[in-house]
Amino acid sequence: MAALLMPAMAAEQISAEEFAKLPALSAKRLTGSFTVGYDTNYVGRGLVISHSVAEGDSSELAAVKLNYDIGHKQQQWSIDSTISYRTVSSGHTMYGPAPYARYNAFASSPLGQFVAKAKNLPASIAPRNVENEFAVVTDVKYSGKKGYVSLGHDFVHGGLLGAFAKHFRSQSASCTNEVFLSTVWTPVQWAEIGHTARLSFQGVQGWWFEPYLTFKAPIIGDPEDVKLAGLLTFAMSATANYFDPGHHANANGAQAFWIKLSTPYFATKSFVITPAVSFNWLGAGAQKAAKTSSLRELMDGLHQAGVVSNDGSSLVPYRNFGVVGSVTCTYLF
């Protein structure tokens, strides 16, 4: 979640000497930001969720980020924390309630009971849901001249990760806990190379990897005083030992690839408007879920038996290719 947010900038510039004299707890060491945003689709780790899964397309975000400088040298060591909430428009039942109702109505009939027993199908299936996403991210960061390294913890309730935990790992709550290590290197002023490795240890166990490369340049202004900037990012996400082969979910490996163009506009020193567009492709690991969705297989079977008129071809979790537009407004303090 933290990658969605603009980094906070100090509201008041002070010299290194003055900073070193500040007490251990000082309001001048605290900076932060408040962000609201809108996406034309709900996206999780680069995966563009299908219309049928979310019963809608768009999502909305609100987030607060706080940065507290803990070093004697200004902007070297800090503790960062982000709290975010994202809505998943417009419904919360995966694929909508209709396919579940059709299957349960058939399975409760005498013919359905006979077919379910003969083919070892469930007597009924409960609707699965995608909940709104609440995340808390906390990390300790060391910043140098050419980048930074941060070590932290993610707590996520709901959203895509919560659905994995609740529906494929049979957890009582849609919660995941992760630890992560992020490294960012800026070899030149106009390029940034980064990578985040996450180890999930509760809810779902396994690894997520997210490398990226960003090119950036001022469109209006200069590097010291940017009015409008341009950022072009190439990124991907991948997993290892995260998904169980027996589940009707993703396979491990490449999950998503995307290219994102964003143009932050600094209306004032404290207010930034960032429109963006990304082009997202499905990785080979995530393509498995589109082929082996359990509800899709059940509806395909009912269609072949002549019980329902439509097969399960629309009951896929992700889009093979998606264009996602977004806009965020950030207030820096």
Side-chain angles (χ1 to χ4, degrees), residues 61-74:
L61 168 75
V64 176
K65 183 175 184 179
L66 299 175
N67 311 81
Y68 192 81
D69 202 321
I70 59 175
H72 290 292
K73 187 175 181 181
Q74 191 173 12

Side-chain angles (χ1 to χ4, degrees), residues 9-310:
M9 300 187 300
E12 181 181 353
Q13 295 295 326
I14 59 176
S15 68
E17 292 77 12
E18 292 174 320
F19 184 82
K21 295 177 182 178
L22 290 175
L25 294 177
S26 171
K28 290 185 177 181
R29 289 179 176 265
L30 181 66
T31 57
S33 63
F34 175 70
T35 297
V36 293
Y38 170 83
D39 289 350
T40 56
N41 285 92
Y42 171 70
V43 182
R45 302 278 163 96
L47 298 167
V48 181
I49 307 304
S50 72
H51 180 94
S52 59
V53 160
E55 297 182 83
D57 292 309
S58 61
S59 66
E60 296 77 36
L61 168 75
V64 176
K65 183 175 184 179
L66 299 175
N67 311 81
Y68 192 81
D69 202 321
I70 59 175
H72 290 292
K73 187 175 181 181
Q74 191 173 12
Q75 296 180 348
Q76 187 175 71
W77 287 94
S78 66
I79 297 176
D80 305 336
S81 183
T82 301
I83 299 175
S84 67
Y85 188 81
R86 180 180 291 278
T87 61
V88 183
S89 302
S90 58
H92 301 290
T93 302
M94 286 185 179
Y95 311 116
Y100 298 96
R102 289 194 195 102
Y103 179 82
N104 290 336
F106 170 73
S108 63
S109 67
L111 176 60
Q113 293 174 20
F114 173 78
V115 172
K117 185 176 181 180
K119 296 194 173 186
N120 197 29
L121 299 176
S124 65
I125 50 176
R128 296 174 173 179
N129 62 327
V130 178
E131 302 171 40
N132 290 340
E133 182 182 280
F134 173 72
V136 179
V137 183
T138 306
D139 66 275
V140 176
K141 180 189 295 183
Y142 174 79
S143 300
K145 293 182 178 180
K146 292 289 186 178
Y148 67 83
V149 178
S150 64
L151 177 66
H153 169 263
D154 291 336
F155 167 79
V156 182
H157 181 280
L160 183 66
L161 300 185
F164 289 149
K166 187 173 183 179
H167 302 308
F168 297 112
R169 293 299 177 96
S170 301
Q171 302 295 307
S172 58
S174 56
C175 298
T176 59
N177 278 281
E178 304 172 318
V179 291
F180 67 87
L181 176 67
S182 292
T183 57
V184 173
W185 179 46
T186 307
V188 291
Q189 194 173 36
W190 47 268
E192 180 176 290
I193 302 170
H195 179 257
T196 298
R198 291 184 172 90
L199 174 62
S200 180
F201 61 88
Q202 186 269 329
V204 183
Q205 291 77 45
W207 292 89
W208 276 94
F209 304 100
E210 295 175 71
Y212 73 88
L213 170 63
T214 294
F215 298 101
K216 46 191 176 180
I219 298 174
I220 300 176
D222 53 62
E224 286 71 36
D225 186 20
V226 178
K227 191 69 174 177
L228 179 68
L231 289 82
L232 181 63
T233 297
F234 299 85
M236 73 164 295
S237 66
T239 59
N241 300 318
Y242 193 87
F243 297 104
D244 190 319
H247 294 153
H248 293 275
N250 306 28
N252 289 302
Q255 302 301 316
F257 301 86
W258 65 95
I259 300 172
K260 185 174 183 178
L261 174 64
S262 56
T263 54
Y265 171 66
F266 294 81
T268 68
K269 290 184 178 181
S270 300
F271 187 64
V272 186
I273 303 171
T274 307
V277 60
S278 69
F279 304 88
N280 298 54
W281 291 266
L282 209 56
Q287 290 176 10
K288 172 180 177 285
K291 300 173 183 177
T292 63
S293 161
S294 56
L295 189 55
R296 175 178 182 171
E297 289 185 347
L298 291 174
M299 295 307 293
D300 281 343
L302 295 184
H303 176 69
Q304 293 170 6
V307 177
V308 296
S309 57
N310 297 321

